[in-house]
Amino acid sequence: NSQLVALHLEHENLVLPVSVFAENTVRGMRHYQIEPDVRALRIEAVTPQPSLRQVLEWGIALTQGMEYLHRSAVVALPIAPQNVILDGARVRLACCDGVLVLAQEAQSQAPALCAEDVRRLASLLAQMAAHLPASRQGQLPVSQALPAWLQQSGAGLTAVGLAAELRRLLRDSVEPVKATALLVGSKSVVGQVREINEDSIFVEDYPIALSRLGVPVAVYALADRVGGQAAGEVASHLVV
């Protein structure tokens, strides 16, 4: 990992080696790697089970770290449950072993290798979502939505694209629809000719039966009098 250390990379959602060195001993050359002292919990050991919101938010954080490494030509990331850790409230990907730093002459391989990293992270998140109880899956089954996204994206997979898809799933599957309040007013005047008002107005703002839809719903009706006929106010009232 000397090449990785030489890049002097640092990201809040990654655990990266600090330094490497070698020592010649009586038993031969020994190699050492100094890693950050991160006393964290692997996500596979998290109890109770995380919510769907947590899984998606973790995924977004991990894609940010992934995109940072990909921009530095670091690929073949060790994406597995044992390498995803919770450091306090922050999720981090441990990349202290097994990564590949692409040389300048191998940059043409970067898109395919980056896409494979994205594919493995999306698959891991789908597996995590699949193990959640049905009540935590949200309106859209993420365990099915992510594989479908992978298939639709084909070879053009990127960490930025996965982050955008995770944010969409977070919005559509978890976050409640924010209802828009309607402020409705109505007024009818008798005018200057007639003695009684023969018009009728009906306003039902946000009916209880429809309020569970989470969207603004209202019913309005306006009935004008029947010109030249008797009891016009009765007729308009019966209409509404």
Side-chain angles (χ1 to χ4, degrees), residues 208-225:
I208 297 177
L210 299 177
S211 60
R212 61 184 178 84
L213 296 177
V215 293
V217 178
V219 178
Y220 312 117
L222 172 62
D224 196 2
R225 67 179 181 83

Side-chain angles (χ1 to χ4, degrees), residues 187-209:
K187 183 178 181 180
S188 179
V189 297
V190 67
Q192 300 180 356
V193 177
R194 298 184 180 275
E195 296 182 357
I196 61 173
N197 192 341
E198 298 187 359
D199 300 330
S200 294
I201 300 175
F202 175 83
V203 175
E204 180 66 29
D205 188 15
Y206 227 102
I208 297 177

Side-chain angles (χ1 to χ4, degrees), residues 21-239:
F21 65 93
E23 181 182 29
N24 194 1
T25 68
V26 294
R27 296 184 178 181
M29 187 68 67
R30 303 193 66 175
H31 298 269
Y32 300 90
Q33 178 171 284
I34 300 177
E35 302 176 2
D37 183 17
V38 178
R39 302 180 182 181
L41 184 68
R42 292 189 177 95
I43 58 168
E44 58 185 357
V46 172
T47 56
Q49 281 186 312
S51 65
L52 181 60
R53 174 185 289 275
Q54 286 176 306
V55 171
L56 293 174
E57 289 179 343
W58 291 348
I60 293 171
L62 293 173
T63 58
Q64 293 170 349
M66 175 183 288
E67 197 270 334
Y68 173 77
L69 291 177
H70 285 176
R71 283 191 282 109
S72 301
V74 179
V75 295
L77 308 184
I79 300 169
Q82 64 269 24
N83 293 324
V84 180
I85 61 176
L86 278 180
D87 185 8
R90 187 178 305 282
V91 65
R92 306 175 73 181
L93 179 64
C95 297
C96 294
D97 293 296
V99 301
L100 175 63
V101 180
L102 291 178
Q104 186 65 35
E105 59 272 16
Q107 293 293 318
S108 60
Q109 303 175 29
L113 292 172
C114 290
E116 182 57 29
D117 284 344
V118 173
R119 186 180 303 279
R120 287 189 287 119
L121 177 56
S123 298
L124 174 61
L125 295 172
Q127 292 173 8
M128 293 175 62
H131 288 88
L132 296 178
S135 59
R136 296 187 179 184
Q137 277 285 351
Q139 298 176 353
L140 183 67
V142 174
S143 56
Q144 299 177 22
L146 282 175
W149 175 80
L150 288 173
Q151 186 174 7
Q152 293 172 1
S153 301
L157 296 173
T158 64
V160 173
L162 178 55
E165 176 65 8
L166 293 174
R167 290 189 180 95
R168 185 191 68 80
L169 291 172
L170 180 62
R171 182 186 66 248
D172 296 346
S173 302
V174 179
E175 295 179 352
V177 177
K178 297 180 179 179
T180 302
L182 297 178
L183 182 61
V184 181
S186 62
K187 183 178 181 180
S188 179
V189 297
V190 67
Q192 300 180 356
V193 177
R194 298 184 180 275
E195 296 182 357
I196 61 173
N197 192 341
E198 298 187 359
D199 300 330
S200 294
I201 300 175
F202 175 83
V203 175
E204 180 66 29
D205 188 15
Y206 227 102
I208 297 177
L210 299 177
S211 60
R212 61 184 178 84
L213 296 177
V215 293
V217 178
V219 178
Y220 312 117
L222 172 62
D224 196 2
R225 67 179 181 83
V226 180
Q229 301 295 323
E233 72 282 6
V234 176
S236 65
H237 179 73
L238 289 174
V239 168

